[in-house]
Amino acid sequence: MWKCFLFFVFVALTFTNVQAELARDERGVFTKNFFGGVWGNRPPWMEYNQPKTSCTCKCGERNEVSRIVEGVEAGINEFPWMAKLTYFKRFYCGGMVINDRYVLTAAHCVKGFMWFMIKVTFGEHNRCNATVRPETRFVVRVIAQNFTLTNFDNDIALLRLNERVPMSAAIKPICLPKSDHNLYVGAKAVASGWGTLTEEGKVSCTLQEVEVPVISNQECRNTKYTSSMITDNMLCAGYPKTGGKDSCQGDSGGPLITERKYDKRYELIGVVSWGNGCARVGYPGVYTRVTNYLDWIRENTRDACFCRKKTMFSYLVCLFLCVSIGAGDTLSKDLLRVSDEYYAYGQESDNQLPPCRDCSCGERNEEARVVGGSTANVNAFPWIARLIYGNAFGCGASLINDRYVLSAAHCVKGFMWFMFRVKFGEHDRCDKYHIPEIRYVTKMYVHNFTLTELSNDISLLQLNKPLEYSHAIRPVCLPKSDYNLYVGTLATVSGWGAMAETGKWSCTLLEAQLPVLSNEECRNTKYNKTKIKDVMMCAGYPATAHKDACTGDSGGPLVAENNEHTYDLIGVVSWGWGCARIGYPGVYVRVTKYLDWIQENTADACYCAY
């Protein structure tokens, strides 16, 4: 009983110290992080139990960590790997998600703390918004490197979470470097956090970001820091000659990232560690060099699940749960329209056509209307379908005849075909009172889809029984010719995907009009030229990026009006970088490249005659 009493006394004293720290913050007296004074977290000088020296010091020098100054507010969930650490309900440090079970942070953020009192929250942007309930986990284990307070060497730690973190548009892991040889000198890096905006300011409510260049360790040792303070396990970034931009108090443990050239993803190169003041001339920010700890990280996170690209199944998991590629954010173009041959019924005359052919494909239920992310009229696109895997909505699809729907290969490859259901005739997918037409999948045809290049991202799903057409369910037309490139065509994309890059998926069907770009023009955007293949098509506004498809629209249709005032399926939503980002138009499967393949694999179906 007395042990419990002592424990609560200890907690109370700790909380009292916390309140004292807050009071000091209000008076403008800052420490390295929120609990620096309590647990001995100081900049790299000495611990209390170290012998004091008389002359090897600089009088009047403040002990401050790096912080974000002269940055800008990040977009909502722009950095989905960002995590916030709280201790006794007080924010004090940052961290980053590296897999489904572990968060990486700075050792000085956890050394001396009671690990079971640390709470980690994910998917936040405005930490002061009490109406938003972020994903929350508690820490069950802290794994710290051989960290020393004397010089802040090895300032890195892993936090094992009590439960795995579900990946979503707002929560995704940061990439780790593949090689430990890159020094990143000259690289443009980005630091982010909720730290103070000025050296004597208050911590920010909204997530901030700042871009700083990485400098060599030799250059860093020639600044106002002493040479011995910068070890090989550290990395410096900032503007030592001018100052002005830096991380700031409260950013400790947060990420320093840089964009990779070969796939345009971001990798973690540093952890906010320490520094003298905020954006002071002669004092760049000092970060933990992550490449020196790759083996240590892997060794201590073997029980976690990293996003990988080795198998199609793992790719699809990351695609739907981590959204790690930004895939499912764009559409592709030309699909095929099968010719007027009678595939299943021979040479019937027009007045003896079976019901499945007595129809007009690609006909919209409404005249053209205001678009651009607006809600589509009810059943405006009667060919659109939803793919349900288990009980979860995953992708869109297009009805092309009475027996088959067309979708993206990345939506189905690696999944069990018998777990798919296809829903037709929907507008408001959240309307529980509307009963859509449902079919099950009995067979899947997946093209030679390659994950490395994202080529041939097209698939066919055979339904368990034919559909009967109605006002709400009719097929889209396939292109009659494989020569049309559709450059300059104003095409329409539709789906129930996210309304913003980090937004929620829509209940009602949305549509947006996008101009089709030439592949040459697409290759001159921010994409790597080699990524845009001839079997792909780009559509969107790369200069302004105000319209685009988004997460959840994968596999859905991109249609264009033909000369007969009906609609051809010219693209299938395939991949893209983010949602409506400047310089990154949507990329779609070019359907006209697969007309023969579609004809061959749907010979048992009944197409509309006109």
Side-chain angles (χ1 to χ4, degrees), residues 26 31 62 131 218 252 278 286 299 328 345 372-373 415 433 438 442 461 485 519 521 534 590 610:
E26 293 175 357
T31 54
R62 291 182 57 176
T131 61
Q218 185 57 45
S252 290
C278 287
V286 185
E299 181 181 347
Y345 294 91
F415 286 85
Y433 297 100
I438 297 176
T442 57
L461 282 70
L485 299 179
N519 278 22
E521 183 180 357
D534 291 339
R590 187 177 290 276
Y610 48 87

Side-chain angles (χ1 to χ4, degrees), residues 143-190:
I143 307 169
Q145 253 286 5
N146 188 23
F147 173 62
T148 62
L149 284 167
T150 54
N151 63 357
F152 269 57
D153 202 20
N154 301 313
D155 191 12
I156 191 169
L158 287 163
L159 307 181
R160 190 178 189 275
L161 308 175
N162 63 321
E163 292 181 26
R164 298 185 187 275
V165 179
M167 301 301 169
S168 65
I171 306 172
K172 289 182 284 191
I174 182 67
C175 297
L176 293 177
K178 292 184 177 180
S179 170
D180 58 359
H181 300 302
N182 197 340
L183 299 179
Y184 298 98
V185 177
K188 292 182 179 179
V190 178

